[in-house]
Amino acid sequence: MSDNRQWAREAIRIIEADFQRSADTHLIPLPLPGLPGIELYFKDESSHPTGSLKHRLARSLFLYALCNGWLKPGAPVIEASSGSTAISEAYFARLLGLPFIAVMPATTSQEKIAQIAFYGGKSHLVQDPTQIYAESERLARESGGHFMDQFTYAERATDWRANNIAESIFQQLRFERYPEPSWLISSPGTGGTTATLGRYVRYRQHGTRVLCADAERSVFFDYYLSGDAGLRLDCGSRIEGIGRPRVEASFLPKVIDAMVKVPDALSLAAMHYLAQRLGRRVGGSSGTNLIGALMAAQHMAAVGESGSIVAILCDGGERYATTYYDQQWLAEQGYELDALIHAVAASVERGEALPASVLRAGI
């Protein structure tokens, strides 16, 4: 056995041992008083060791790269990220003793940069968020390292048949009133989670539908409608972790049943409302997912359908203390959230319609 294969074998053992030390994430009910007969749950991915849904992805990407022979002892791992995937990959790189470089937009929160440094990684910031891919490729080429490329490999690195977030959700719902959810709600960063959810429910022959809740500055919703893979934006998403300026290879629209496009201000308002209800801070993408869940719930109520909905709580809000939870920052960005927070509360508590600014398709 070659030295590199022996090293990879030990690296896989280390990652699998780390997995065995970890527990599953919680499924948290969020009552909807204004929508009786519909039960909403949040899959709380913030309880992973690195604090977000991306912990699952990073583990899968490392195992995929190891089994493909792409990682080498001492060679750096490079990733293009808006922060959360980079934090999780820095964690696994440290486990294996590998250098790690995160290529991220310059607007990435300082809290995320600090967490990457905590795990021994370095942050390489770029002013133009559309250039994180090319810069990652350059760094990998010049350093002799490996560009992990989550946006290409997320959907294929994850095992969608078993041992994934979808299987976990169905196991945790077994004793609930509606054990087969009517809807699963996820927002797209790479598109890998929606691909896993959509493939799993088809493979297991569930009637569950998958709704993808997109950010304002993102091409995914428009791609879902048009099928134009050449769509581009010249700016990055303001909801960190979701939304992309180009169509990513891991985004698979044919496994999605419906989409909504949520204005950023409404995502942040829903985030603040959800934080109030849960008694702790959550990230902006969880607010996007709450809006997606409410759109699905209102559709169910309109057609007289009862059932359950599960949305993803992607990460905690500690990473956004100086941005989304900072009143001065919100004011500087032009966000006025009070009226929108009341609108979200009215939807949850009295069943009132959400603002018409939410775009929808297939629902």
Side-chain angles (χ1 to χ4, degrees):
M1 186 180 295
S2 68
D3 290 343
N4 194 61
R5 185 170 174 188
Q6 182 63 39
W7 174 82
R9 181 177 178 178
E10 175 63 7
I12 291 168
R13 184 199 65 78
I14 290 169
I15 291 175
E16 290 293 86
D18 179 74
F19 177 73
Q20 293 302 316
R21 293 192 297 269
S22 301
D24 198 1
T25 60
H26 302 294
L27 199 61
I28 302 172
L30 185 78
L32 301 176
L35 295 159
I38 300 171
E39 300 185 354
L40 173 61
Y41 305 81
F42 273 91
K43 181 67 167 161
D44 183 10
E45 295 294 285
S46 71
S47 58
H48 283 294
T50 54
S52 83
L53 169 67
K54 299 302 185 180
H55 192 86
R56 294 181 189 268
L57 173 58
R59 176 178 178 273
S60 295
L61 288 169
F62 266 83
L63 290 173
Y64 190 70
L66 285 164
C67 292
N68 284 331
W70 293 343
L71 302 185
K72 297 178 290 185
V77 174
I78 294 95
E79 183 61 284
S81 173
S82 61
S84 289
T85 302
I87 293 168
S88 298
E89 288 190 20
Y91 171 91
F92 285 103
R94 186 176 74 170
L95 274 182
L96 304 184
L98 297 175
F100 179 77
I101 303 171
V103 181
M104 303 185 295
T107 54
T108 302
S109 71
Q110 290 299 312
E111 290 85 356
K112 288 184 176 179
I113 294 170
Q115 283 190 284
I116 291 166
F118 174 78
Y119 290 121
K122 296 180 179 179
S123 295
H124 182 88
L125 304 180
V126 296
Q127 293 300 320
D128 182 352
T130 67
Q131 294 303 305
I132 61 173
Y133 318 92
E135 191 65 4
S136 297
E137 291 170 353
R138 182 188 69 80
L139 289 173
R141 184 172 58 251
E142 294 179 0
S143 68
H146 173 64
F147 173 28
M148 197 68 87
D149 196 1
Q150 60 166 321
F151 299 108
T152 296
Y153 295 109
E155 57 87 10
R156 65 193 74 173
T158 303
D159 186 353
W160 48 268
R161 296 176 185 86
N163 300 317
N164 56 49
I165 189 171
E167 183 177 65
S168 173
I169 288 169
F170 278 85
Q171 287 290 324
Q172 290 175 312
L173 283 173
R174 283 179 299 163
F175 300 112
E176 300 299 316
R177 181 179 301 175
Y178 304 109
E180 181 178 273
S182 296
W183 289 94
L184 298 175
I185 315 294
S186 178
S187 48
T190 61
T193 299
T194 53
T196 298
L197 296 174
R199 286 167 162 170
Y200 181 85
V201 297
R202 285 160 175 76
Y203 175 61
R204 293 296 183 185
Q205 303 168 58
H206 293 298
T208 303
R209 293 160 287 180
V210 175
L211 184 148
C212 183
D214 200 15
E216 181 178 331
R217 292 184 179 179
S218 176
V219 299
F220 289 135
F221 180 85
D222 301 287
Y223 174 53
Y224 182 79
L225 290 179
S226 70
D228 182 0
L231 292 171
R232 294 288 190 276
L233 294 176
D234 60 3
C235 58
S237 175
R238 293 177 294 188
I239 306 299
E240 287 191 27
I242 65 170
R244 302 302 307 159
R246 70 177 194 184
V247 178
E248 304 295 352
S250 286
F251 181 74
L252 306 180
K254 291 185 178 179
V255 304
I256 296 168
D257 298 287
M259 283 199 73
V260 297
K261 190 179 186 76
V262 183
D264 293 340
L266 187 57
S267 288
L268 296 181
M271 175 200 76
H272 279 275
Y273 174 79
L274 184 58
Q276 293 169 10
R277 288 289 305 274
L278 297 180
R280 59 185 175 87
R281 290 177 172 180
V282 300
S285 55
S286 298
T288 309
N289 287 340
L290 174 57
I291 297 302
L294 289 173
M295 297 295 287
Q298 289 177 357
H299 172 77
M300 291 172 64
V303 298
E305 181 183 351
S306 297
S308 59
I309 298 171
V310 179
I312 308 298
L313 194 161
C314 304
D315 61 1
E318 297 79 11
R319 298 175 178 181
Y320 311 102
T322 59
T323 54
Y324 302 153
Y325 287 96
D326 184 286
Q327 292 302 316
Q328 181 177 341
W329 184 91
L330 290 171
E332 290 171 352
Q333 302 301 314
Y335 288 120
E336 295 287 345
L337 300 184
D338 287 348
L340 291 173
I341 292 172
H342 288 305
V344 175
S347 179
V348 172
E349 295 161 19
R350 297 190 295 278
E352 295 181 13
L354 288 164
S357 55
V358 182
L359 302 179
R360 68 185 81 186
I363 183 174

